[in-house]
């Protein structure tokens, strides 16, 4: 992830904005957040305007392997990719 990378454990974002992050390279994913396993918890947050130069358009913002995503409150999210 261009902004945050988590291999395991929990990534918690509350009242947070992630924008303008990017990844590059052959296997780059998750312009804002990449989580392999574990969890992503979002509350009242914005994850938008991030990108990756490879991969697919659906993982520009958040990319997960087996991680779960939980949302509470209003969140603004761009595309989320699962691989």
């Amino acid at each position: 992830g261009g902004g945050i990378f988590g291999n395991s454990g929990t990534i918690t974002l509350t009242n947070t904005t992630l924008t303008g992050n990017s990844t590059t390279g052959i296997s780059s994913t998750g312009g804002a957040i990449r989580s392999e396993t574990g969890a992503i918890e979002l509350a009242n947050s914005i994850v938008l305007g991030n990108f990756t130069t490879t991969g697919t358009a659906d993982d520009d913002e958040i990319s997960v392997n087996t991680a779960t995503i939980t949302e509470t409150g209003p969140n603004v999210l761009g595309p989320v990719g699962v691989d």
Side-chain angles (χ1 to χ4, degrees):
I4 298 171
F5 175 82
N7 191 39
S8 62
T10 301
I11 297 168
T12 302
L13 301 177
T14 304
N15 301 320
T16 302
T17 299
L18 285 177
T19 188
N21 298 286
S22 64
T23 59
T24 59
I26 291 174
S27 61
S28 64
T29 58
I33 303 170
R34 170 66 182 177
S35 182
E36 294 294 327
T37 61
I40 300 171
E41 298 175 349
L42 302 168
N44 304 311
S45 295
I46 300 169
V47 182
L48 195 63
N50 303 280
F51 68 94
T52 182
T53 58
T54 59
T56 61
D58 67 348
D59 63 7
D60 277 352
E61 307 296 342
I62 299 173
S63 176
V64 298
N65 188 359
T66 59
T68 59
I69 300 173
T70 304
E71 295 184 64
T72 56
N75 293 292
V76 178
L77 303 177
V80 175
V82 178
D83 47 67

